[in-house]
């Protein structure tokens, strides 16, 4: 039987490869200078969904939320063979914490079910490297009212509406069986993500979401009249649509979201303070082997949060 | 979300498996005690499982006032939905202001689902928690005695302090081994309250087919703090000090090859080229000279303290802090200083 998988993916700053160019003079990180990448574990979630389709048939829908430039990760998914890509972008969703994000994504997943048919799997990467929270998957599952299986190492069997999954439990593993639909978070040892297919790259490198087209026309025709620009936007959108290269773009109204539960107003957690860690070693300090010396050292480690 | 309630308790999720409490649950009991004392409220623990009532006493001895105990045959094995149901019902009924979980595989699976259901804020993987009055820079309104949730973020390149402006409960997972476990006080008293929660087949969407769990062994890779001893410790008896310091600081025990070869400790604790490579937040090298083979396994630690009586020992060249002295004399001073850091003041810091 064919299975419909929805995969949630995210574009993140590459926090793992901080180069000298991304450092400010004071030794702290300049976030804007970090390259944006496909969140690594989301590639494993995507691979899991593509494998289900290959082994058992069905379709794969990929969903991302972010600014229009995050459409790059959707193109990466098209290069790897997804059937459908959806971009959720809306300024009112900015500053959403995990609770608000999972609310918005769950609304989008419900909308996907309404428009394209019920889903059997929701696959997410275990966590995103910009926050490392691992919360959005389980929170989406709760909001969708489906079971969750976290830390998937291997999808062992799929038979009708029953799936058997091996999951990592830290100091070992367990095999669990559950009924579809289910939300699964995937860890990086689960599979080897496939590279982009060259033929699909040629085909989809021109795929765009609407806001990317708007941005490109505004930059490219800065001297022209607003009327001309609007006409060009409409022309390009119609052309992309004809060639099936227009990626679906939704806003919060399209997914029926309660605006109060999105963005800042829907986010209980707020960042109160950010302290950058200076990456260079702070040099050598000699501490006298006395009670006072040791006490001061421990106090120093508590103040800089090395010790709790 | 639940109504803001200044008398709300500080709660700990008492993670247990097969009737054995996870160490992090006991570490959290001590931290919850400190937080609750600052707030002037009680500490509660949610204990769920099958035939686990015997664990309540240990929680109380580690600082808990009230144990909310839910026992059910269907809770014999952890699964997210059934355990989440217990916590959701308890939170709605008793309205705690803070709920803490260990940042274990279980805690990080369970806590977000619970937070979503009660529409609470949730911060993952905290390394420090404090109570403080906070003024919201946007509204200029001051919120009294909020929980500061402090955690590394952005690949460990920044430390973020997260708050919930009067949006209850404030929930967080806390990294294992960061909060020091308090000494057990068997004379402490507290109460155990049985809470019946109906667990139906519908609350059990997963069927456990097979489970393979290694006994918890040395987890050097995941340790945030490592205390390592070298050949200079001298004897197996003296090496006990390394374990004591690790216990006092909430860290794991490591060793140099010389200590392993000397028979002070097992090879699974060896750090270096032929052992494990580690990069904890804090590495304390005690009486380790710091041969290149050892340094290769630990020099990427965020902070290194070297305790060695030889000022010229190469370990000092990779250290942030050097204590030139006999480790067997310095370690007891360090244990004393760690144990005596005052509970209430220890989190005060200039801001």
């Amino acid at each position: 039987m064919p299975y419909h998988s929805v995969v949630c993916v995210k574009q993140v700053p590459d926090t793992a490869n901080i180069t000298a160019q991304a450092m400010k003079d004071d030794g702290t990180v300049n976030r804007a200078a970090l390259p944006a990448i496909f969140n690594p574990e989301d590639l494993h979630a995507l691979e899991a969904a593509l494998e289900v389709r290959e082994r058992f048939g069905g379709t794969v829908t990929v969903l991302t939320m972010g600014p229009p430039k995050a459409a790059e990760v959707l193109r990466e998914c098209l290069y790897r063979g997804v059937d459908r890509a959806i971009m959720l972008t809306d300024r009112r969703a900015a500053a959403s914490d995990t609770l608000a994000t999972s609310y918005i994504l769950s609304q989008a997943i419900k909308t996907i079910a309404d428009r394209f048919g019920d889903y059997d799997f929701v696959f997410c990467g275990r966590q995103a490297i910009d926050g490392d929270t691992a919360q959005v998957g389980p929170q989406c599952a709760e909001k969708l009212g489906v079971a969750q299986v976290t830390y998937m190492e291997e999808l062992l069997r799929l038979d009708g509406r029953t799936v058997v999954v091996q999951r990592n439990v830290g100091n070992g593993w367990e095999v669990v069986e559950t009924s579809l639909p289910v939300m699964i978070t995937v860890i990086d040892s689960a599979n080897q993500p496939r590279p982009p297919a060259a033929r699909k790259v040629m085909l989809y490198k021109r795929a765009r979401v609407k806001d990317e087209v708007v941005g490109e026309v505004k930059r490219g025709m800065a001297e022209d009249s607003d009327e001309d620009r609007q006409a060009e936007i409409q022309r390009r959108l119609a052309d992309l649509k004809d060639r099936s290269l227009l990626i679906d773009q939704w806003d919060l109204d399209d997914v029926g979201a309660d605006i109060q539960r999105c963005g800042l107003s829907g986010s209980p957690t707020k960042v109160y303070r950010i302290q950058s860690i200076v990456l260079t070693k702070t040099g050598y300090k000699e501490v006298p082997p006395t009670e006072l010396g040791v006490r001061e050292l421990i106090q120093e480690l508590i103040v800089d949060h090395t010790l709790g | 979300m639940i109504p803001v309630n200044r008398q709300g308790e500080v709660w700990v999720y008492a993670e247990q498996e097969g009737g054995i409490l996870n160490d992090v649950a006991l570490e959290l009991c001590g931290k919850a005690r400190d937080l609750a004392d600052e707030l002037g409220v009680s500490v509660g623990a949610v204990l769920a499982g099958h035939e686990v009532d015997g664990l309540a006493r240990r929680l109380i001895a580690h600082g808990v006032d009230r144990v909310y105990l839910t026992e059910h045959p269907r809770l014999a094995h952890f699964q997210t939905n059934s355990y989440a149901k217990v916590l959701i019902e308890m939170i709605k009924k008793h309205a705690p202001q803070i709920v803490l979980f260990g940042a274990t595989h279980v805690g990080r699976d369970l806590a977000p689902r619970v937070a979503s259901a009660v529409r609470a804020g949730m911060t993952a993987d905290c390394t420090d928690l404090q109570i403080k009055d906070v003024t919201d820079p946007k509204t200029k309104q001051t919120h009294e005695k909020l929980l500061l949730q402090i955690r590394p973020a952005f690949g460990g390149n920044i430390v973020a302090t997260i708050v919930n402006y009067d949006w209850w409960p404030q929930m967080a997972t806390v990294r294992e081994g960061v909060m020091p476990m308090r000494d057990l006080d068997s004379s402490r008293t507290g109460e155990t309250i049985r809470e019946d929660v109906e667990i139906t087949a519908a609350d059990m969407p997963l069927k456990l087919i097979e489970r393979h769990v290694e006994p918890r062994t040395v987890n050097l890779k995941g340790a945030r703090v490592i205390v390592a001893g070298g050949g200079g410790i001298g004897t197996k008896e003296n090496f006990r000090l390394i374990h004591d310091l690790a216990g006092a600081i909430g860290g794991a025990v490591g060793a140099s090859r010389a200590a392993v070869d000397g028979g002070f400790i097992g090879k699974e604790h060896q750090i270096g080229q032929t052992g494990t490579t580690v990069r904890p937040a804090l590495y304390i090298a005690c009486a380790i000279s710091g041969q290149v083979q050892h340094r290769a396994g630990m020099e990427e630690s965020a902070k290194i303290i070297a305790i060695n009586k030889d000022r010229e020992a190469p370990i000092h060249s990779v250290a942030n802090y050097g204590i030139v002295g006999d480790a067997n004399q310095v370690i007891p001073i360090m244990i004393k200083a760690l144990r005596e850091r005052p509970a209430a003041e220890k989190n005060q810091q200039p801001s």
Side-chain angles (χ1 to χ4, degrees):
Chain A
M1 64 181 284
Y3 297 93
H4 181 200
S5 298
V6 176
V7 188
C8 298
V9 300
K10 186 181 186 187
Q11 189 180 51
V12 292
D14 188 0
T15 57
N17 291 301
I18 291 177
T19 58
Q21 286 77 38
M23 300 290 286
K24 293 191 222 164
D25 291 340
D26 61 359
T28 60
V29 180
N30 177 11
R31 296 181 185 218
L34 291 178
I37 60 165
F38 200 120
N39 181 53
E41 282 178 318
D42 297 353
L43 276 172
H44 296 274
L46 173 66
E47 182 62 30
L50 292 169
E51 284 174 5
V52 166
R53 188 184 66 185
E54 280 163 10
R55 284 164 65 188
F56 307 97
T59 52
V60 176
T61 301
V62 62
L63 167 67
T64 196
M65 170 175 147
K69 82 184 217 8
E72 187 56 41
V73 294
L74 295 180
R75 281 188 285 277
E76 288 288 331
C77 292
L78 290 166
Y79 301 159
R80 288 166 174 80
V82 301
D83 300 282
R84 190 182 296 116
I86 290 155
M87 156 63 70
L88 201 154
T89 188
D90 195 315
R91 282 176 195 282
R92 295 169 296 177
S96 290
D97 71 358
T98 62
L99 185 73
T101 299
S102 60
Y103 169 69
I104 297 166
L105 289 176
S106 67
Q107 288 297 116
I109 293 167
K110 287 175 188 170
T111 308
I112 288 170
D114 287 345
R115 296 198 190 177
F116 308 116
D118 286 339
Y119 57 86
D120 303 296
F121 293 96
V122 176
F123 287 106
C124 300
R126 175 191 54 143
Q127 64 187 30
I129 59 169
D130 54 347
D132 295 329
T133 75
Q135 289 174 187
V136 168
Q139 297 194 316
C140 275
E142 191 279 329
K143 297 203 182 305
L144 294 167
V146 302
Q148 68 191 55
V149 178
T150 49
Y151 309 102
M152 182 181 92
E153 287 179 333
E154 194 177 355
L155 195 155
L156 297 171
R157 281 195 299 284
L158 179 56
D159 183 12
R161 304 299 297 163
T162 303
V163 63
V164 180
V165 172
Q166 179 173 319
R167 62 185 293 264
N168 185 289
V169 293
N171 50 338
W173 49 265
E174 67 184 23
V175 174
V176 293
E177 179 186 296
T178 190
S179 302
L180 302 180
V182 64
M183 190 292 305
I184 294 177
T185 72
V186 182
I187 60 176
D188 58 9
S189 60
N191 52 39
Q192 186 67 44
R194 68 195 62 198
R199 200 174 48 82
K200 290 201 156 65
V201 175
M202 294 310 291
L203 184 59
Y204 287 114
K205 67 183 183 190
R206 288 185 187 82
R208 292 290 181 275
V209 300
K210 178 172 137 263
D211 278 6
E212 287 181 296
V213 174
V214 171
E216 284 165 7
V217 170
K218 281 189 173 157
R219 282 191 300 277
M221 299 175 63
E223 306 297 313
D224 294 81
S225 73
D226 192 46
E227 208 168 83
D228 287 351
R229 279 199 299 265
Q230 286 305 327
E232 177 63 13
I233 288 168
Q234 292 312 319
R235 191 192 67 74
R236 288 198 197 183
L237 290 176
D239 176 54
L240 285 169
K241 199 159 186 226
D242 278 351
R243 295 190 287 152
S244 300
L245 292 175
L246 186 62
I247 298 172
D248 281 341
Q249 177 183 324
W250 294 353
D251 65 14
L252 292 175
D253 300 319
D254 292 321
V255 300
D258 171 357
I259 302 302
Q260 274 304 308
R261 293 182 65 179
C262 305
L264 267 185
S265 63
S267 300
T269 60
K270 302 278 174 357
V271 177
Y272 168 61
R273 186 169 55 195
I274 292 283
Q275 293 153 296
S276 289
I277 292 176
V278 177
L279 290 175
T280 50
K281 287 236 163 139
T282 47
Y284 180 78
K285 182 171 170 184
E286 189 167 328
V287 177
T290 59
E291 201 162 324
L292 183 65
V294 170
R295 259 180 218 288
E296 282 176 358
L297 167 60
I298 285 166
Q299 190 54 38
E300 210 173 310
L301 294 172
I302 290 167
V303 167
D304 73 8
H305 301 299
T306 299
L307 293 181
Chain B
M1 80 195 83
I2 62 171
V4 172
N5 157 21
R6 301 276 170 204
Q7 290 314 304
E9 294 177 324
V10 178
W11 276 15
V12 171
Y13 169 62
E15 182 180 333
Q16 57 84 24
E17 190 184 310
I20 297 167
L21 282 169
N22 192 317
D23 278 354
V24 71
L26 299 175
E27 292 160 16
L28 290 179
C29 289
K31 188 68 198 178
R33 181 77 263 157
D34 295 344
L35 299 173
D37 288 347
E38 274 187 67
L39 293 163
V41 301
S42 315
V43 174
V46 177
L47 175 61
H50 180 47
E51 296 175 345
V52 291
D53 53 339
L55 301 177
R57 277 238 36 89
R58 268 194 91 196
L59 294 167
I60 290 166
H62 276 89
V64 173
D65 299 307
R66 220 162 271 132
V67 177
Y68 299 95
L69 171 68
T70 302
E71 291 186 299
H72 196 293
R74 285 196 161 120
L75 296 173
H77 289 286
F78 171 81
Q79 72 165 273
T80 320
N81 284 45
S82 52
Y83 274 64
K85 186 176 187 182
V86 173
L87 277 153
I88 293 161
E89 286 200 13
M90 291 301 109
I91 289 170
K92 285 182 176 164
K93 183 171 170 190
H94 298 286
Q97 58 178 302
I98 293 171
V99 187
L100 306 177
F101 298 74
T104 59
H105 273 62
V106 165
R108 298 189 70 180
D109 174 273
L110 174 64
R113 186 150 186 136
V114 173
S116 175
V118 298
R119 290 205 208 170
M122 173 84 224
T123 302
D125 219 14
C126 293
T127 52
D128 193 8
L129 301 167
Q130 300 172 16
I131 301 291
K132 213 173 189 180
D133 294 349
V134 177
T135 304
D136 183 343
K138 284 217 169 63
T139 63
K140 306 289 174 217
Q141 194 190 337
T142 297
H143 302 266
E144 281 177 24
K145 295 189 170 177
L146 295 188
L147 180 69
L148 302 194
Q149 302 146 52
I150 298 161
R151 68 178 302 249
F154 226 67
N157 296 296
I158 60 169
V159 172
T161 301
I162 312 292
V163 294
N164 316 4
Y165 293 111
D166 289 342
W167 190 323
W168 263 214
Q170 305 160 90
M171 293 179 57
T173 60
V174 179
R175 216 176 261 189
E176 294 175 84
V178 177
M179 307 296 171
M181 200 188 292
R182 290 194 159 200
D183 291 335
L184 187 127
D185 175 4
S186 320
S187 65
R188 276 200 90 251
T189 54
E191 57 179 324
T192 301
I193 300 166
R194 284 195 176 269
E195 296 278 0
D196 287 328
V197 177
E198 196 187 345
I199 307 290
T200 66
D203 300 316
M204 311 281 290
L206 303 192
K207 191 166 118 196
L208 183 65
I209 309 278
E210 195 184 346
R211 186 176 167 84
H212 177 83
V213 177
E214 300 282 345
R216 284 186 91 80
T217 51
V218 202
N219 184 8
L220 288 170
K221 283 254 180 245
R224 197 167 171 280
V225 178
I226 292 174
V227 182
I233 293 292
T235 65
K236 192 171 180 181
E237 289 65 45
N238 287 352
F239 205 86
R240 186 73 232 161
L241 279 174
I242 303 294
H243 291 272
D244 291 346
L245 178 56
I249 209 165
V253 173
S256 71
R257 180 164 181 179
V260 172
D261 287 350
F264 305 164
I265 191 164
K267 196 167 169 47
E268 67 276 16
H269 292 268
Q270 187 173 322
I271 288 163
Q273 230 160 38
T274 48
T276 310
T277 299
V278 297
R279 47 203 312 178
L282 178 63
Y283 189 90
I284 307 181
C286 309
I288 291 176
S289 63
Q291 298 301 321
V292 63
Q293 291 84 352
H294 184 76
R295 296 203 311 269
M298 47 66 77
E299 65 192 350
E300 292 200 21
S301 306
K303 282 227 163 66
I304 296 166
I305 301 175
I307 308 174
N308 196 302
K309 58 187 169 193
D310 176 8
R311 190 182 299 270
E312 303 307 316
I315 193 73
H316 287 293
S317 71
V318 294
N320 304 86
Y321 300 96
I323 304 179
V324 180
D326 181 352
N328 291 326
Q329 281 158 25
V330 175
I331 293 170
I333 296 174
M334 200 171 257
I335 293 172
K336 187 159 174 270
L338 283 163
R339 293 232 166 100
E340 286 175 6
R341 56 182 160 142
E345 285 96 301
K346 75 176 181 193
N347 290 321
Q348 297 295 316
Q349 59 157 357
S351 49

